Amino acid sequence: MQTLDLKQSYFELFGLDLKFDIDLKQLHSEQQRLQAIFHPDRFVRASDQEKRLSVQQASWVNEGYESLLNPVKRARYMLQLSGLELNDESETTSDTGFLMEQIAIREEIDECHSNADPLSCCEHIAVRLRSKADQFGAEFVASFSQGALDEARLTSRKMQFVARIMDQLMDLQIELEEELEI
Amino acid sequence: MALLQISEPGQSAAPHQHRYAAGIDLGTTNSLVASVRNGIADTLADTDGLHLLPSVVHYGDAAILVGQAAQQMQSSDPLNTLSSIKRLMGRGTEDVSRLGEVLPYDFVADVDSNVPRIQTRGGNLSAIEVSAEILKTLALLAEQTLGGELSGVVITVPAYFDDAQRQATRDAAKLARLNVYRLLNEPTAAAVAYGLEQNNDGVIAVYDLGGGTFDISILRLNKGVFEVLATGGDSSLGGDDMDTAIGEWIISQASFKDIDAQLSRQILMAARAAKESLTSLEKAEITIQQGDQHWRGGIDRAQLDELIQPLVKKSLMPCRRVLRDANISKQDIDEVVLVGGATRMALVRRMVGEFFQRSPMCDLDPDRVVAIGAAIQADVLAGNKPDSEMLLLDVLPLSLGIETMGGLSEKIIPRNTPIPVAKAQEFTTFKDGQTSMSIHVVQGERELISDCRSLARFELRGFPPKNAGATRIRVTYQVDADGLMSVRAEETTSGIAADIVVKPSYGLTDGEIETMLRESMDHAQDDVAARMLKEQQVEAKRVIEAIDAALIYDGDDLLSKTEISKIRQVRDQLEQDIEVACADRLKKLIKSMEQVSETYVARRMNTSVKAALAGKQIDEVKL
């Protein structure tokens, strides 16, 4: 059976250039092309060793796909490829302005519930968060391309914060929709 | 009968290349088996022409009954007649009390295992053993219909089944001695049947409300690739809950003094009957009669809707989540496909239609579509379609996490990640001389460990004693294409694989399965006898049909009156004995049937039909 070079980067695996703005269509079609070769369904009647290999390679393709699909994960992965050791637990941001902003947004989200039109209140925050995400994405690209990796890492942390708040906001939206039966 | 029955053209061409494969829908209420024959996937019917096998098993004094026959024992022998057993698959003893109202059985505490067992005449049984009986019956039906041994099967499970529930299904198949190619998610199976039959591409939502489980999946279909974007659901929500709601209403209307297992079963059955007849009628009559307790009343559509509305509403919450996880809006969905018997109800169709803002598609038989999709995949996996481009890309339904300090769950692999997938984590020792470590793996979305489903505790042992922090252990969590998890661990500095002891939180240990397999060997002889009898009965029916067809076609032309009456005599004897005689007797009768019609067959072959007969069945020739 065919085997993949597990030492190559995910960017190489999917035939993509090492940069933040990737062609998501290509990522998707390459993932499907690779799964068509390595998916365990192609090896149900093969030897145990081939089955194991297939699970390993198909898993690796999926892990790569997920790592590049999600912008935050993609940014973190690029930093890792550049030799940075990342630790989610111990890393914090000391940018007080950013932290204050985050706290303010969280408070706003909590207040949405008592708003007369809670859903559009959520939507307003979502729009702002999306533009924040875009802004940090652009900042990441700038720092990374200049080789300012530490700065890029801090930006990637901010991207992570924003993504988490976005998740919370979506949870609230679903709860509200449920209450309002939309 | 060898000479009258000539094999089908497709099979005789290259019989050694074709592998018999089947798709099995192991349902809460009904189970089905389907297979691809001559390029067409369809569910298989039993000798009575029924496609749906009620998922009911009766443990009698002498024999185990499965299906219709078992269902008939439900009222008279409720404690030995097990139904809706799928609800217990992969469940722990403490779940039982919660499900107790739906499952009126005698549960027994089992200190040696963490699997709930039901006390029956057939012993203290786990859901796995009961499910194995249903699987055996379906596999036998498939082998008899297809005329050969199954090389493999695809068994469907609710997409929202967790690891323990999937493992239980695999174990049941192992007990039934089936080679499982794949566990396939029910909505994905439905999408395969829908996509291939309708030849449609696009984004579809599969809303699958079965007897006991609810699934919602969003898939993208593109040229034979079925990509699950997100899946969600509720593994204990289904038609059964509607029956219970109606049953509770009946109890509130009537004033029964004392409700025992028998009466409660009768109420549930009456509730289900009322629910089903309200699919087509506006009003249903209910009569409960047991001993001196009786009640008669009516229920109309509006009343029914009021009772089940909260349950349908409950199903809409996962629909919202799944849209969000798939990152699409309602407008992006091209089609909503309904699956599962409960989607026949008008209120379900209306509420689902309102939610997705489009009228759902119901051209496919909601009871059969899952088995058909599974059969299509089984056929491909068996290698019968080497040119097939079909590819099913599924996802993990529930996040996998591990327990961290303070009883919290740390997500290792989030829900809706494409599978198979592996994730590695590094740990380090926190005490000097530490040589072991334990990992508690859970499944679910909640923060607190106690709100998640415990899957297993892994004890990693045997790494060299070093100072705290000096030993690094790399733990890899692997989810395979069936959605089943495994864990391996190695010490990164030495590369030595750690010794792992797994304690599954629910389900049987490998040891228990071994014992059960060995015990079933003792019963294997009974099984063989039963199987042989069944085979002879099927053969006898086939022979009778063949001879009847032949006699109508050319009996009068080729045979004298005496010859005909001789043949008829043996034929009638065979028909008379078919249900009562043992396998040997039937075999002898079939043999004498062959002998008595030998000349007839020879004459038929010698006439001009000889050529026309080649490679065809007699009833085909006649047309």
Side-chain angles (χ1 to χ4, degrees), chain A residues 28 41 171 178 181-182, chain B residues 182 227 313 320 324 478:
Chain A
H28 185 246
D41 275 3
D171 280 339
E178 186 76 3
E181 288 186 29
I182 295 170
Chain B
R182 182 71 65 232
E227 182 189 16
K313 229 166 117 180
R320 283 178 231 275
R324 170 212 156 149
Q478 172 79 61

Side-chain angles (χ1 to χ4, degrees), chain A residues 28 31-32 35-36 39-42 44-45 54-56 58-59 62-63 65-66 73 85 89 166-168 170-171 174-175 177-178 181-182, chain B residues 19 181-182 220 225 227 313 316-317 320-321 324 330 355 377 381-383 389-393 414 417-423 478-479 481:
Chain A
H28 185 246
Q31 184 240 9
Q32 296 207 340
Q35 287 300 354
H39 193 279
D41 275 3
R42 299 286 192 252
V44 267
R45 288 170 298 106
S54 141
V55 172
Q56 187 195 10
S59 298
N62 279 335
E63 208 187 323
Y65 177 66
E66 288 288 298
K73 284 187 188 164
E85 269 210 38
E89 307 296 292
M166 194 70 177
D167 268 350
Q168 285 178 0
M170 302 262 252
D171 280 339
I174 288 176
E175 263 174 53
E177 282 177 14
E178 186 76 3
E181 288 186 29
I182 295 170
Chain B
R19 292 183 191 84
Y181 284 146
R182 182 71 65 232
R220 189 187 290 133
V225 180
E227 182 189 16
K313 229 166 117 180
L316 297 180
M317 185 71 178
R320 283 178 231 275
R321 292 206 173 274
R324 170 212 156 149
K330 291 172 186 174
F355 178 81
Q377 200 207 12
L381 296 185
E389 297 278 307
M390 191 171 94
L391 182 62
L392 310 189
L393 302 174
T417 300
I419 53 170
V421 72
K423 195 83 186 206
Q478 172 79 61
V479 177

Side-chain angles (χ1 to χ4, degrees), chain B residues 15 410 436 569:
Chain B
E410 182 193 328
S436 70
Q569 203 184 337

Side-chain angles (χ1 to χ4, degrees), chain B residues 507-547:
Chain B
L508 304 172
T509 60
D510 284 351
E512 283 179 287
I513 302 255
E514 284 301 315
T515 317
M516 281 155 68
L517 272 173
R518 231 178 301 121
E519 278 170 2
S520 75
M521 287 293 278
D522 304 337
H523 298 297
Q525 288 206 306
D526 304 344
D527 290 350
V528 168
R531 194 185 171 114
M532 269 172 50
L533 176 61
K534 198 89 204 193
E535 276 169 6
Q536 291 305 323
Q537 285 172 339
V538 171
E539 179 62 14
K541 277 192 186 159
R542 203 182 305 174
V543 165
I544 291 170
E545 273 172 31
I547 199 77

Side-chain angles (χ1 to χ4, degrees), chain B residues 347-359:
Chain B
L347 184 75
V348 175
R349 292 188 173 187
R350 197 171 73 230
M351 286 177 72
V352 173
E354 277 167 12
F355 178 81
F356 286 103
Q357 294 158 16
R358 67 182 57 248
S359 52

